[in-house]
Amino acid sequence: MSPDPRSFDHAEGAAPQAGARRPRTGSGPAARLLTVLYALVITPIATALIAYGGGGWMRIFQMRGYVADPLADLLTGRAGVQIVAGLGLGLLLLASVVATGIASSAGLLVVGVMGLFSLVVAAVPSLLFSIYRATPDGVPLEILDGFAYGLPLVLHTVMGGLGMALVIARRRPGPHLVASLAGLVVVPVMLLLGAGLVFGGLGHGALMAVRMFDTQTSPLVVALLALGALLLWLGAAASRWSPYALLLPVIVLLGASLAFAVPSLPLPPGIWSDPTSLAAASFLLTGGGVATAVILLVHTVVLAFVRHRSRRRLRGPGPTVPPAARPAGTAAATG
């Protein structure tokens, strides 16, 4: 009697043959090193460009309200160059950092560590003012304002969580159906709660400190920022269990950002009087909403690619079945 052929089926998770090596699911050292170096160099540049370009749009919005000039005339001026070049190039560079997750998750994980620095700066106003004072005069203020508006804090924290999602997906590429369906609700809720806490901390902390020149550190603000950043990281990391759960936040972010770009769309009343709403509006005005949407959308594609490749690696090439184990007549037919 021939043995059970399932004993040779590695695709179903059976034990491999004696002496067989488990297929490697992680990235190589070279890929990790290159992605880390690329992320360390490109991510700050991309974030600064987004803050610079978004700052140009915020200045126009504050001075003119909703833009009265035709959009074509606006984009041909100096402010238009700042907006298009800053936001456009910054988004492309940031998307390229997320795309390096195909090669290795290390770069995105390092970006998440960079988010800790942004968290400390946002939580400690005196440190934020020290950065303002120590920065050379040639650096545009819009770039420094990005810290107060939460651009590096939100973007870098989310990217770090996405890196963790890729780490898990490389080892366990197939999420359970129940977890995948639950994630369609859990992931957006976690991201929404995290963003709300972060904007609450920024509105009562960094933004208030910049307006009032107050350097005191509030324990409540620190708690809001820390808990909000943690939820953002966890929500992004949970995308591993629900690969398409990030599409809903992408739609919401793009829709909310559109409200600040189209004059005919009304804004909620009292948005500029509530500190939390003010922080959220400032984040969207400076391009943070569009940048986050781009990050989540690119990650969705990267995650699908990584899961497909990890499944193929774990499945392996398939071992050759010994002739003695083949059904009777098979050896003669193939001989």
Side-chain angles (χ1 to χ4, degrees):
M1 179 182 295
S2 63
D4 189 348
R6 287 178 298 176
S7 61
F8 302 98
D9 190 359
H10 290 245
E12 297 298 326
Q17 293 179 347
R21 294 170 54 185
R22 192 174 188 274
R24 188 189 60 162
T25 57
S27 304
R32 295 172 184 172
L33 177 60
L34 291 176
T35 54
V36 166
L37 293 178
Y38 187 81
L40 287 174
V41 174
I42 299 300
T43 303
I45 296 176
T47 308
L49 286 171
I50 292 173
Y52 178 67
W57 173 253
M58 173 173 279
R59 185 169 59 253
I60 293 176
F61 186 89
Q62 291 174 338
M63 293 177 60
R64 305 183 185 180
Y66 286 112
V67 180
D69 296 339
L71 185 60
D73 295 340
L74 170 66
L75 295 180
T76 56
R78 180 179 178 182
V81 174
Q82 176 181 350
I83 296 170
V84 174
L87 280 176
L89 184 57
L91 291 176
L92 287 175
L93 291 177
L94 206 61
S96 70
V97 175
V98 179
T100 62
I102 295 177
S104 173
S105 311
L108 291 174
L109 294 177
V110 169
V111 175
V113 176
M114 293 169 56
L116 296 176
F117 172 76
S118 304
L119 174 62
V120 175
V121 172
V124 183
S126 59
L127 182 58
L128 177 60
F129 286 128
S130 298
I131 294 177
Y132 272 101
R133 290 191 295 266
T135 303
D137 295 335
V139 177
L141 288 177
E142 292 90 344
I143 296 177
L144 301 178
D145 292 339
F147 284 102
Y149 299 141
L151 282 176
L153 173 57
V154 174
L155 297 180
H156 299 172
T157 301
V158 169
M159 291 172 69
L162 299 179
M164 179 54 64
L166 294 178
V167 170
I168 303 174
R170 281 188 164 88
R171 288 157 175 78
R172 298 181 179 272
H176 195 279
L177 178 60
V178 175
S180 181
L181 293 177
L184 294 175
V185 177
V186 174
V187 171
V189 169
M190 291 182 67
L191 293 176
L192 178 62
L193 290 177
L197 292 174
V198 166
F199 293 142
L202 290 172
H204 292 87
L207 286 180
M208 187 67 68
V210 171
R211 295 171 61 184
M212 306 298 295
F213 296 98
D214 186 5
T215 59
Q216 293 184 353
T217 301
S218 169
L220 176 60
V221 169
V222 175
L224 288 174
L225 290 174
L227 182 57
L230 178 61
L231 286 176
L232 285 177
W233 190 90
L234 290 175
S239 64
R240 170 264 177 270
W241 287 277
S242 188
Y244 302 104
L246 298 177
L247 296 181
L248 179 58
V250 168
I251 296 174
V252 172
L253 287 167
L254 292 179
S257 301
L258 189 63
F260 293 93
V262 179
S264 59
L265 294 180
L267 293 174
I271 190 174
W272 307 113
S273 57
D274 178 68
T276 302
S277 300
L278 176 63
S282 301
F283 178 79
L284 294 172
L285 267 173
T286 50
V290 176
T292 307
V294 169
I295 288 172
L296 299 182
L297 190 59
V298 174
H299 170 75
T300 301
V301 178
V302 171
L303 180 60
F305 183 88
V306 168
R307 291 175 62 236
H308 173 74
R309 188 173 60 183
S310 296
R311 283 198 188 100
R312 188 173 58 189
R313 286 181 177 177
L314 291 173
R315 188 177 298 120
T320 302
V321 180
R326 298 176 184 173
T330 303
T334 58

